[in-house]
Amino acid sequence: MFIGRERELESLREFYNKDEIGMMVLYGRRRIGKSTLIAEFVKDKKTIFYSAAKVGKNRNLQLFSERVVDLFMPEMKDISFPSVEAAFDFIDINIGNEKLILVIDELPYWAEKERTLLAVLQKYIDTVWKNKNLKLILCGSALEFMEKKVLGEKSPLFGRRDAQIKLKAFNYLDAAKFVPEYSNKDKAICYGITGGVAKYLSMIDPKKSIDENIMDLFFQKEGYLYEEPKNLLNREFSDISLVNNILEQIAAGENSLNCIASKIGEKDQTVLYSLEKLMNLGLVEKKKCIADEKNRKKTQYVLKDYMFKFWYEYIPNATSVIEMGKGDIYYQKAVKPVLYSFMGPVFEEMCRYYTLMIGITGKYGCLVTSVGTWWRAANRKNVSGDLNAETMNIDVVALADEDKKAVIGECKFQSEKLDKEIYDVFLKKGKNIASKYKIAKYILFSLSGYTDWYQTLSEEDVLLLTLDSLYE
């Protein structure tokens, strides 16, 4: 069953409904659901759908030829065109006045070997296919290639696209549609362990409990996600030992370039090269401190993919017992008791999304246009010139720059109810933002609710929300 992607499907429909030649660029990290989205869109339309492979230019041309011939002359077999131009000419001759979709999936695999492919496409878009009703969809997982070689100013195809879609992971609300019968807590955990990645969500069996799914997918040798990070990294890196070390350090909480390099005994530049590639793959992101983005020292490298974060936190130490077939015991004894701790950052990200979603409507008394996290390191001078004794962070900071207002939030994914102390500390943290922005709302997000003390709270600017509030 196809789930979600309503906006993307609508963009594809608008692209398709326009007459004459058109080009759409659709890209995103692996497993995100690009091919599934295209397949859903073209299922009732005349289409040549070719998914390129890492097999060299001649073999790709041969396989592409088979797809082309199969559409127009299905009775003909074993025909291969001598060149890309010949294949495109064959399409031009046979398309007539019909509307045709030509999909080249995993374009980088072919274009990296067939160096003239993009230039040939440009020529046919500008001349041969100019008056044809052909809709070209170029798709790829290599983000850097798609952004620089296909969409970049130096690309032969620059300026030819009619539309583009950078497909991202599902948000927590769309991810919940894969497990509609789950409780909201289990929906959140499902989102956390999959990171909202379409392929991983599709592996969740809604007839099983969330614990059973985690054990099946991660904690047994045959589990789909047991080898998944290594499989993905092996496709992108010739030697993944360095990358593994970097990801392990980030998962362990080392977020600065200097600290990561020091921990693994490598030069900063060596680590930076791998970090940049991991960011291009959509696995790592460089997080900036909101309201202080220009401060280069206040940046952190974090795992953007929560499935990778879960894997690197728990699987390396469990490999031996998983290989012995005892991974379920390890999960129950060593992982399940600390699962709420893993979910903490996931819950914060969900709350940031929710705050922006509501804030953009103006319901907080201002027009929120950006959201992020604010933090302050220990042993740095504050505005009074005194040294700060502790690290401090604010989980949710949503800014309304036009109004010079902010909405801030504190998030707790824990079994205990929030008590008065959490509230008092939260207000203290808020003073760091209040020096720059007027705080329109203080929001507390709690998995397990609040103690009776909060019933006496009469502050109109304070909202008390729960996990259920995020799913309403």
Side-chain angles (χ1 to χ4, degrees), residues 76-351:
M76 304 296 290
K77 304 296 180 185
D78 300 324
I79 293 180
S80 182
F81 296 103
S83 65
V84 174
E85 288 92 334
F88 288 171
D89 285 337
F90 186 82
I91 293 172
D92 177 60
I93 292 169
N94 286 277
I95 189 175
N97 295 319
E98 287 188 275
K99 183 171 287 190
L100 173 69
I101 300 175
L102 171 58
V103 179
I104 303 180
D105 196 6
E106 295 300 353
L107 172 71
Y109 287 159
W110 192 1
E112 284 175 344
K113 300 298 181 181
E114 181 65 80
R115 298 297 178 87
T116 62
L117 178 60
L118 300 184
V120 172
L121 280 168
Q122 176 253 312
K123 181 181 75 173
Y124 275 75
I125 290 170
D126 290 351
T127 57
V128 180
W129 294 336
K130 185 177 181 180
N131 297 314
K132 298 293 183 181
N133 220 343
L134 179 69
K135 298 300 176 183
L136 178 64
I137 300 178
L138 303 179
C139 183
S141 301
L143 304 189
E144 184 176 19
F145 183 96
M146 297 301 292
E147 291 176 344
K148 292 184 177 180
K149 302 292 186 180
V150 179
L151 294 169
E153 293 184 4
K154 295 182 180 180
S155 168
L157 295 173
F158 181 72
R160 271 80 181 174
R161 64 163 177 80
D162 294 87
Q164 70 185 61
I165 297 174
K166 184 176 183 179
L167 203 62
K168 298 182 179 180
F170 286 108
N171 61 53
Y172 75 92
L173 291 171
D174 283 338
K177 296 174 183 177
F178 286 79
V179 285
E181 302 304 317
Y182 272 15
S183 67
N184 287 337
K185 181 184 73 173
D186 287 346
K187 286 176 181 176
I189 294 173
C190 179
Y191 172 69
I193 63 167
T194 62
V197 173
K199 179 63 177 179
Y200 309 150
L201 283 165
S202 72
M203 304 300 294
I204 299 290
D205 184 349
K207 296 179 181 178
K208 295 182 178 180
S209 70
I210 188 64
D211 290 323
E212 290 173 319
N213 273 296
I214 294 174
M215 288 186 286
D216 288 347
L217 292 172
F218 288 95
F219 291 91
Q220 60 176 356
K221 290 190 295 184
E222 302 79 15
Y224 183 86
L225 298 178
Y226 176 52
E227 296 280 359
E228 175 69 354
K230 291 183 179 179
N231 291 337
L232 283 177
L233 294 175
N234 275 323
R235 297 184 68 169
E236 302 295 340
F237 297 89
S238 56
D239 180 7
I240 68 169
S241 58
L242 172 61
V243 179
N244 261 323
N245 289 336
I246 292 172
L247 292 172
E248 285 177 357
Q249 292 302 319
I250 296 176
E254 299 295 345
N255 302 120
S256 71
L257 175 61
N258 292 340
C259 288
I260 296 169
S262 176
K263 287 281 187 178
I264 64 177
E266 294 285 352
K267 294 180 180 179
D268 286 8
Q269 195 59 38
T270 302
V271 173
L272 183 60
Y273 175 82
S274 293
L275 281 171
E276 289 176 345
K277 187 162 186 180
L278 286 166
M279 287 190 287
N280 287 330
L281 293 172
L283 301 178
V284 170
E285 69 174 333
K286 190 176 182 180
K287 187 168 70 173
K288 295 183 178 181
C289 178
I290 196 166
D292 200 6
E293 290 92 342
K294 294 182 180 180
N295 188 340
R296 293 184 179 181
K297 294 181 179 180
K298 294 183 76 171
T299 59
Q300 296 179 342
Y301 291 98
V302 298
L303 286 177
K304 186 176 183 179
D305 186 305
Y306 287 120
M307 187 281 288
F308 266 69
K309 180 175 173 59
F310 182 86
W311 194 97
Y312 274 95
E313 282 196 24
Y314 302 119
I315 300 304
N317 291 334
T319 302
S320 297
V321 293
I322 293 173
E323 293 293 330
M324 290 173 60
K326 303 296 183 181
D328 55 339
I329 297 176
Y330 185 91
Y331 171 74
Q332 293 289 351
K333 299 290 186 180
V335 179
K336 186 175 180 180
V338 296
L339 194 56
Y340 280 13
S341 176
F342 164 78
M343 282 298 299
V346 179
F347 186 48
E348 291 172 14
E349 189 269 324
M350 292 169 59
C351 295

